[in-house]
Each structure stands twice: as structure tokens, then as C-alpha cells.
Amino acid sequence: MTMLQSASSRTDILIAVGANLPRESGETAAETCLWAVEQLARIEGLSVVAVSDWYESAPVPPSGQPPYVNGMVRLSGQVDPAWLLDRLHGIEAAAGRRRTVANAARPLDLDIIAMGDLVRTAPDPILPHPRATQRAFVLLPLRDVMPDWRDPVSGQALDALLPAVAGQEITRRAAAD
């Protein structure tokens, strides 16, 4: 096991949660996202610090797919990025995700957006997520859980990044959805 544990060096880990298809078992995209938060809370060595509000957004790039339900989970812990990515892929598979073509509709999508100030270009996962700062469905939920976040690559704060995504179609969902 390549998991690292150290209580003295816990890191903020940001996981984007999204879905736009129901699961084979019938759960809606919104229900699957809530289920995914429960699964993230069960990952050894990590604890949930905060969960964003939920948003509905148009697919990026535009594709005629159903809208996505998106949110952000802020975790705390110290784990190897590849080890965590493997766990996220396992949760996606348990939700019924089958990797086919890029940007395909899916019952669950989990992306590591950032792990503290870690910057890495290889191997996977690339951190911070290479397209995170270009997507409203990442930045708005991220602001909910960590409003003082700065992109580790550019050093830009969320307030500086948000105007560039202002034209993207996204709305906050009602709490009961």
C-alpha cells in the first residue's frame, strides 16, 4: 500500500463530484452525488471537512447531454495522489461508470482538483487539475468549501478566476433536490 499517513501533515484535498445519468439501480444523478460523498468519507486516512452546495450545469464542452449535478468535497488527510485516484476510480465503477469516450455522459465523475499546494505534471493525476480554473462547475462549488483557495500554478485567488467563467451555464440547486 502506498498510502501515507501523518497526523502532523494533513493536507486539504479537493474532489469535484459530478453526474448526469441515473445509475442502473435507479438513483438519480443527485442521489448518486450524495452517495459519492458517503463513499469519500469512508476512504482510509481521509476525513470530510466540508461539502459544497449542489449546482446544475451544462456539459462542457457542449454536447447535447443532460445537465450535470456538480459539487465539491473538501477532505483532509495525507495520501499518495495515485493511490487516491485509484480509490476514486473504484467508487466511480461501483456507481456504474464505464470509461468509453472522452466527455461521455456518466453516472458519476470524481476528479482530484487539488491536493494542497502540490503541483505535478506527471504521472497521473496531474495536479492541480489542468482544466479546473476554466470551469464554473468547479470554481463555484470550490468557493463554497474553501473560499480562500489559490491556484497553486498561477497563484490567482478564486475572485480573480471567476470572471473568466461567468458566461458558463450553471445554477445553484435548491437544498431539497
Side-chain angles (χ1 to χ4, degrees):
M1 184 188 323
T2 60
M3 189 177 76
L4 308 173
Q5 291 183 330
S6 170
S8 62
S9 61
R10 295 182 73 77
T11 299
D12 283 311
I13 300 168
L14 299 166
I15 307 293
V17 178
N20 73 335
L21 292 178
R23 289 170 61 184
E24 292 174 359
S25 51
E27 291 89 349
T28 65
E31 290 168 337
T32 300
C33 288
L34 294 173
W35 173 85
V37 173
E38 294 172 5
Q39 302 311 302
L40 291 170
R42 293 182 177 142
I43 297 176
E44 182 183 351
L46 298 178
S47 58
V48 174
V49 175
V51 179
S52 72
D53 286 342
W54 296 98
Y55 294 79
E56 185 170 292
S57 66
V60 176
S63 62
Q65 295 177 18
Y68 276 83
V69 174
N70 297 102
M72 185 73 59
V73 179
R74 179 179 174 185
L75 301 168
S76 178
Q78 190 67 32
V79 295
D80 175 76
W83 181 89
L84 178 57
L85 183 62
D86 184 60
R87 298 309 173 276
L88 298 184
H89 286 171
I91 295 169
E92 290 174 338
R97 178 167 180 181
R98 306 292 175 259
R99 293 182 183 276
T100 55
V101 297
N103 301 313
R106 59 203 80 156
L108 184 61
D109 186 31
L110 300 172
D111 288 319
I112 304 171
I113 299 304
M115 295 181 76
D117 292 332
L118 179 62
V119 175
R120 68 186 236 166
T121 57
D124 279 343
I126 296 169
L127 294 170
H129 190 286
R131 293 172 300 284
T133 61
Q134 303 162 14
R135 296 180 170 168
F137 66 80
V138 170
L139 296 179
L140 290 174
L142 196 160
R143 181 176 61 184
D144 291 346
V145 299
M146 198 169 184
D148 59 346
W149 184 79
R150 290 185 169 274
D151 175 24
V153 174
S154 69
Q156 289 187 294
L158 281 170
D159 289 343
L161 297 167
L162 285 167
V165 301
Q168 294 179 17
E169 190 178 328
I170 185 168
T171 56
R172 190 181 309 260
R173 292 172 55 95
D177 288 353

